[in-house]
Amino acid sequence: MKTVRMSYPLQSPASTTNAHRTNLIRIQKVEGDFLIEHLTPSFEQALDESGRVIDESSAPMLVGHQSAFVHAVTVSDLQNLAQDPGNAYTVWLFALRQGESEPVWINKFAQTALSKEGFRQYWNQQPMLVLAQLWIPPLGLEPSLVLMCSPQAGQTEVTGFEFDHEWESNSVAMALAFPSFRLVDEGGDPRRIRISAVNDQGMVLPASGQVLLSTTAGALSNSRPDLDQGQALVTLFGADPGALAKIKLGFKWFSGVEELEVRV
């Protein structure tokens, strides 16, 4: 399983809607488990001998940090979630809901699939502080644990392990969990169409499982080919000479992921 770090604007554990950039997060790996500890800032103001604030208009000074809570992302949790047979693709969130004291695992795809709302709409209705994400790719690709860290330099301590990757944006991490596809007309008679599952750099991924194909002209030798190490080969036949065949690819709940136009 890959482990990645993603920049994230940490918010105060006391409130999931009140961001404070001086929070710290410490992540440790102990026998495969990840311990996520939040440290909140401690402020002081100048006091007189009686303990009263000398100048209430002055800004408090940051004097240090104190541990607020520690939560564990366990190996057994990750293994169980990654083997969930009901998901062709999803993201599990390890999140602390507003008003709650313990984080829970939330299936991001399941929470938004039926309503077809974007996750931002769901989050607005149920504010939460996301501590980690488990990306479950489709088609048998390797899951990735994404640890949400402070975006400020010097604010994050990581001990006991090294990250496989470090990214700065959610969209870049998305490319890891959701492969792209490439359809290539290799010519011949009948025409050969090669299907490849690729990453954001065009490298073929070791994907497995079934993809769905359709064509607007002629017929395909297999409309549900299985990928072998990320690739499959089908033939297009029976189209009238000069016809333009639009071949579309999808899988499970995702249609129209990629398409190719072939002039016969």
Side-chain angles (χ1 to χ4, degrees):
M1 180 179 295
K2 295 184 177 71
T3 305
V4 302
R5 186 174 106 184
M6 186 185 299
S7 298
Y8 190 77
L10 280 183
Q11 300 170 338
S12 169
S15 170
T16 55
T17 58
N18 184 19
H20 204 301
R21 292 299 181 94
T22 55
N23 283 350
L24 298 181
I25 184 169
R26 180 183 292 123
I27 305 169
Q28 293 179 294
K29 188 175 184 181
V30 180
E31 296 182 352
D33 296 340
F34 291 89
L35 304 181
I36 303 175
E37 179 181 12
H38 276 245
L39 300 98
T40 54
S42 299
F43 296 94
E44 285 186 2
Q45 287 185 293
L47 307 178
D48 60 19
E49 293 181 355
S50 65
R52 294 179 180 178
V53 177
I54 295 175
D55 182 6
E56 293 186 356
S57 63
S58 63
M61 293 186 300
L62 177 65
V63 295
H65 290 80
Q66 59 186 3
S67 179
F69 56 81
V70 181
H71 295 295
V73 178
T74 68
V75 173
S76 59
D77 281 344
L78 298 176
Q79 291 174 342
N80 290 337
L81 296 173
Q83 293 174 4
D84 183 352
N87 296 298
Y89 155 77
T90 196
V91 176
W92 285 93
L93 306 178
F94 189 60
L96 187 67
R97 293 188 185 274
Q98 188 174 27
E100 300 293 331
S101 58
E102 291 293 328
V104 293
W105 284 103
I106 300 169
N107 187 319
K108 181 177 178 181
F109 181 82
Q111 296 297 332
T112 56
L114 293 179
S115 65
K116 296 186 178 180
E117 289 183 342
F119 186 74
R120 174 56 60 181
Q121 293 172 284
Y122 176 79
W123 192 93
N124 287 339
Q125 297 168 5
Q126 303 186 53
M128 65 186 71
L129 177 64
V130 178
L131 305 176
Q133 299 185 34
L134 180 63
W135 297 79
I136 309 294
L139 303 171
L141 294 174
E142 184 181 11
S144 297
L145 178 66
V146 181
L147 299 170
M148 315 302 285
C149 300
S150 171
Q152 300 291 323
Q155 286 191 350
T156 302
E157 298 177 30
V158 181
T159 59
F161 71 105
E162 294 182 358
F163 288 109
D164 293 338
H165 302 278
E166 183 169 352
W167 284 318
E168 297 181 352
S169 72
N170 192 71
S171 59
V172 175
M174 183 68 181
L176 175 67
F178 200 100
S180 299
F181 286 88
R182 185 168 58 214
L183 297 175
V184 177
D185 177 9
E186 294 190 344
D189 185 16
R191 298 290 275 274
R192 296 186 301 271
I193 309 298
R194 181 167 297 277
I195 305 149
S196 302
V198 298
N199 62 15
D200 58 329
Q201 297 180 350
M203 302 294 292
V204 176
L205 298 169
S208 60
Q210 191 176 84
V211 294
L212 309 176
L213 297 173
S214 64
T215 180
T216 58
L220 295 167
S221 59
N222 189 349
S223 62
R224 299 189 174 206
D226 289 316
L227 297 176
D228 181 11
Q229 289 297 306
Q231 298 193 78
L233 187 66
V234 299
T235 56
L236 172 68
F237 59 91
D240 294 334
L244 180 65
K246 290 185 178 181
I247 300 171
K248 292 187 177 182
L249 177 145
F251 60 94
K252 199 144 185 182
W253 295 304
F254 300 91
S255 59
V257 174
E258 186 59 70
E259 69 175 52
L260 171 72
E261 293 186 352
V262 176
R263 179 70 68 180
V264 179

